[in-house]
Amino acid sequence: MSTYKISMAKENTLKRKMDDLGIKESDIQEKFIRASGSGGQKVNKTSSCVYLKHIPTGIEIKCQQERSQVINRFLARRLLTEKIEEILLKEKSAKQKQIAKIRKQKQKRSKRAKEKILNDKKFQSEKKQLRANIIV
């Protein structure tokens, strides 16, 4: 039986993703708030807005996309996993960029690149020589 009234496949995918990222239900603080905005009397009477806080990272999510609290719980958890994954990937990609930069700096230049650099240097020196004051 599905906990969130969502298809079992979606729920299992979310659980797997949470396990992969190391997100535990015990690390999540959950509150229910009265939603605001459109939705009529139903929204004003029930606490369908879900507020999640992931204690280790301090990430806070507030979700009121649907009128159903159960669906909002699922959507809030999915948003939380996406945010945590984004943060983890950012750190990884920054490290990988730094490693690639160092690798490229240490890499030997090709013969063609050396020739181009030398030609540019020669051109600059000729330009400077033409600017020199000529004493007659």
Side-chain angles (χ1 to χ4, degrees):
M1 172 110 185
S2 177
T3 322
Y4 300 114
K5 292 186 182 178
I6 306 290
S7 72
M8 287 299 288
K10 286 184 180 180
E11 190 175 335
N12 289 335
T13 307
L14 177 65
K15 284 182 181 176
R16 220 175 301 116
K17 201 171 194 180
M18 286 175 72
D19 289 340
D20 291 345
L21 295 172
I23 303 169
K24 300 174 194 159
E25 283 292 329
S26 59
D27 291 343
I28 298 173
Q29 184 181 22
E30 186 174 42
K31 292 181 188 174
F32 302 104
I33 309 165
R34 290 237 169 108
S36 60
S38 61
Q41 290 178 337
K42 171 81 173 138
V43 168
N44 299 330
K45 289 182 201 170
T46 59
S47 300
S48 60
C49 180
V50 178
Y51 167 85
L52 294 180
K53 181 175 183 180
H54 188 243
I55 297 166
T57 57
I59 296 174
E60 298 176 350
I61 299 288
K62 189 175 176 184
C63 182
Q64 65 176 45
Q65 293 177 2
E66 299 290 328
R67 283 174 55 176
S68 166
Q69 184 188 76
V70 177
I71 295 172
N72 283 335
R73 285 182 75 204
F74 172 79
L75 294 174
R77 278 173 173 69
R78 195 162 69 182
L79 284 171
L80 181 69
T81 55
E82 287 172 3
K83 279 212 174 185
I84 291 173
E85 186 177 35
E86 184 180 307
I87 289 170
L88 292 174
L89 288 177
K90 237 182 200 176
E91 288 176 4
K92 265 188 178 177
S93 66
K95 286 179 185 175
Q96 287 174 346
K97 281 181 184 177
Q98 190 176 13
I99 291 167
K101 184 180 176 184
I102 292 168
R103 190 177 290 141
K104 190 164 186 169
Q105 286 173 347
K106 290 182 177 182
Q107 193 176 22
K108 207 173 182 183
R109 286 196 179 111
S110 68
K111 194 172 184 181
R112 190 173 185 183
K114 284 182 190 175
E115 287 176 7
K116 186 179 178 192
I117 291 169
L118 288 173
N119 285 337
D120 288 344
K121 282 186 174 184
K122 187 176 178 183
F123 178 72
Q124 288 296 329
S125 68
E126 287 174 357
K127 249 195 324 190
K128 282 189 173 185
Q129 283 178 350
L130 290 174
R131 288 188 216 140
N133 291 335
I134 302 171
I135 301 172
V136 180

